[in-house]
Amino acid sequence: MARKGENIFKRKDGRWEARYIHHYDPAGRAIYAFVYGRSYSEVKEKRKEAIARREPLISPKGTVTTLEELCVRWLADVKISVKESTFVQYHRLVTKYIVPGLNDVPLKRLDFKVVNAFSERLLQNGGKFGNRLSAKTVTDILAVLKSIIKFGVQNEYLASGIEGVRYPGREGKQIAILTDENRKTLERALNEDVGSTEMGILLSLFTGMRLGELCGLTWQDVDWHSRIITVRRTVERIKNLDPTAKERTKIIICEPKTLSSVRTIPIPRYLFSRLREYYEKKAREGGEGDFYILSNDAKPIEPNTLYNRYKKLMRRHKMDRYTFHALRHTFATRCVEAGFDTKSLSEILGHSNIATTLSVYVHPSLAQKRRQMDKLGPL
């Protein structure tokens, strides 16, 4: 049932109608748009999708009166300085959480107490169907909100910031890494018939590359003489913010996650041999030159497609509890156990600092811990 003030009502012809602000005219007046549906819930969902797809609502006036206006001004400001995928993520957090959760609060009352209460609501029931959000997601939302507020203060839309905001404690969630037994089982399965899925898994297991980076590899990235592979791009599927587009999402090929993610990785001898065999096989099929390695085509394979194929293979071998990212963690842990120096490993993984490598990607086994402890003895 429609609620008072929702701008949703049932028409005389039996349809439901919902209206929302589409943009502001040159005089600063709100221009509304309308969506229609057969039920209250349908039209409410349609309006939500329409609002998410609309262009930023930037008022031509010099003042900002609502948090929504401040948010869209901030989005317009950061759009030219961040990756498209990053902007889409900012847009999602703003439209899904920040504006719906805080837009009713007058800007002059937006202080750390209000934001802390907002944070608690998100942690308790801020997710889909009222489920609680993770501490990481809430931290990401607060980081974006803090940037928006800082932008507002710098541009004199706000008088003060929100110092005193509490960030939720991050729960120590470790990704399960493959045991030696499971890893050997997987390697034997990959050796049976190396297709694109198997090669993608092998590359991640022996180089630690991310899923999107694997999908972005072309044969031009392989230096057969020096036995190295260069990570230059990543493939991502992101939300399409173009309101005129037919597809709601789109594939983009862009630079990797950070500057340090653009890197050169020496190829281990075993992997080099398997990659050569795979290359020769694909060359016979007409796939070389600028072709993408895993798709054998001028277009890359989608990360979701590779991930789904990986999960199917892992289910077949009763190892479906391992995510694709577990391959990267397994690689990092094996490198540490093999005695890699941390600086080299950090650069191979594409990290900007060694701390990330040690704190997030290294999971010493009990056997490794025991070997280290056994080094202790009397003087």
Side-chain angles (χ1 to χ4, degrees):
M1 180 178 292
R3 298 175 184 173
K4 187 176 180 180
E6 268 193 323
N7 281 331
I8 299 178
F9 61 91
K10 193 171 185 178
R11 295 162 53 95
K12 291 181 179 180
D13 61 9
R15 293 184 300 165
W16 285 81
E17 176 182 312
R19 76 171 189 168
Y20 63 96
I21 297 175
H22 185 272
H23 64 278
Y24 293 94
D25 68 11
R29 291 185 294 265
I31 303 300
Y32 288 86
F34 305 86
V35 291
Y36 304 93
R38 291 171 294 181
S39 67
Y40 166 77
S41 57
E42 179 186 350
V43 79
K44 187 175 182 179
E45 184 64 26
K46 280 186 176 181
R47 183 176 68 174
K48 181 179 177 181
E49 293 175 357
I51 290 173
R53 291 195 305 268
R54 69 186 171 185
E55 288 296 302
L57 308 178
I58 301 178
S59 171
K61 290 189 172 183
T63 58
V64 169
T65 59
T66 66
L67 178 63
E68 181 177 22
E69 266 198 276
L70 180 59
C71 286
V72 295
R73 284 179 182 270
W74 176 79
L75 284 171
D77 183 71
V78 300
K79 187 173 185 179
I80 61 172
S81 60
V82 298
K83 289 173 56 178
E84 185 178 7
S85 57
T86 302
F87 178 79
V88 169
Q89 172 69 352
Y90 288 165
H91 186 278
R92 186 182 74 85
L93 296 179
V94 165
T95 57
K96 187 173 182 179
Y97 299 111
I98 295 175
V99 170
L102 291 172
N103 199 48
D104 290 339
V105 179
L107 287 179
K108 62 181 179 181
R109 289 187 53 215
L110 188 61
D111 58 14
F112 73 93
K113 294 178 182 178
V114 171
V115 175
N116 284 337
F118 169 61
S119 175
E120 287 299 320
R121 291 199 303 274
L122 293 176
L123 287 169
Q124 294 303 318
N125 55 13
K128 193 174 183 181
F129 307 119
N131 296 331
R132 57 179 305 202
L133 294 179
S134 69
K136 180 187 181 305
T137 300
V138 175
T139 298
D140 291 343
I141 294 169
L142 294 180
V144 170
L145 178 59
K146 188 174 181 180
S147 294
I148 293 168
I149 300 301
K150 183 178 179 181
F151 169 80
V153 172
Q154 290 173 340
N155 289 275
E156 299 182 354
Y157 299 132
L158 292 174
S160 62
I162 50 173
E163 291 75 12
V165 168
R166 296 190 306 269
Y167 285 85
R170 298 279 290 272
E171 299 173 359
K173 182 181 178 182
Q174 272 197 350
I175 291 181
I177 64 169
L178 277 72
T179 63
D180 285 343
E181 182 181 352
N182 283 338
R183 178 178 56 80
K184 290 173 183 177
T185 299
L186 178 59
E187 288 176 8
R188 285 194 294 270
L190 297 175
N191 285 333
E192 293 173 3
D193 181 24
V194 181
S196 59
T197 302
E198 290 76 13
M199 180 49 61
I201 297 171
L202 279 171
L203 281 165
S204 184
L205 201 56
F206 283 89
T207 68
M209 277 189 274
R210 303 176 179 95
L211 180 59
E213 294 171 345
L214 294 168
C215 296
L217 290 174
T218 72
W219 289 118
Q220 294 294 315
D221 298 322
V222 180
D223 186 329
W224 298 105
H225 177 71
S226 301
R227 197 158 51 89
I228 59 176
I229 194 163
T230 302
V231 179
R232 294 188 173 95
R233 67 194 72 80
T234 187
V235 178
E236 298 179 56
R237 178 169 284 280
I238 63 172
K239 184 176 181 180
N240 195 340
L241 298 181
D242 181 358
T244 64
K246 293 182 179 179
E247 301 293 331
R248 298 179 63 179
T249 61
K250 64 179 180 179
I251 283 288
I252 62 170
I253 303 169
C254 56
E255 292 182 352
K257 192 174 181 180
T258 61
L259 288 176
S260 54
S261 294
V262 179
R263 62 200 186 278
T264 298
I265 303 174
I267 307 173
R269 287 187 176 85
Y270 166 75
L271 178 62
F272 185 77
S273 174
R274 302 317 310 269
L275 187 62
R276 172 68 77 176
E277 292 173 10
Y278 176 80
Y279 171 76
E280 292 172 353
K281 176 183 175 182
K282 294 304 177 184
R284 290 193 295 271
E285 297 173 1
E288 50 184 328
D290 282 335
F291 274 21
Y292 287 89
I293 292 177
L294 299 186
S295 67
N296 194 37
D297 192 81
K299 291 177 61 178
I301 187 173
E302 286 198 34
N304 282 344
T305 300
L306 180 58
Y307 184 81
N308 290 334
R309 292 176 182 175
Y310 163 79
K311 292 300 287 185
K312 184 177 179 181
L313 185 149
M314 296 298 275
R315 279 195 297 271
R316 195 160 64 240
H317 295 280
K318 297 181 173 55
M319 291 188 289
D320 54 320
R321 72 188 183 97
Y322 296 111
T323 66
F324 197 95
H325 207 63
L327 302 178
R328 179 171 164 86
H329 283 251
T330 302
F331 166 79
T333 301
R334 287 185 68 201
C335 287
V336 170
E337 293 180 349
F340 273 51
D341 71 273
T342 311
K343 178 62 175 174
S344 295
L345 176 57
S346 183
E347 291 185 1
I348 288 171
L349 290 171
H351 290 155
S352 56
N353 60 73
I354 294 174
T356 302
T357 307
L358 293 175
S359 64
V360 180
Y361 283 89
V362 177
H363 313 271
S365 65
L366 178 60
Q368 172 71 357
K369 293 174 185 176
R370 191 182 301 282
R371 285 193 293 271
Q372 300 301 317
M373 292 297 287
D374 284 344
K375 294 177 181 180
L376 299 176
L379 294 174

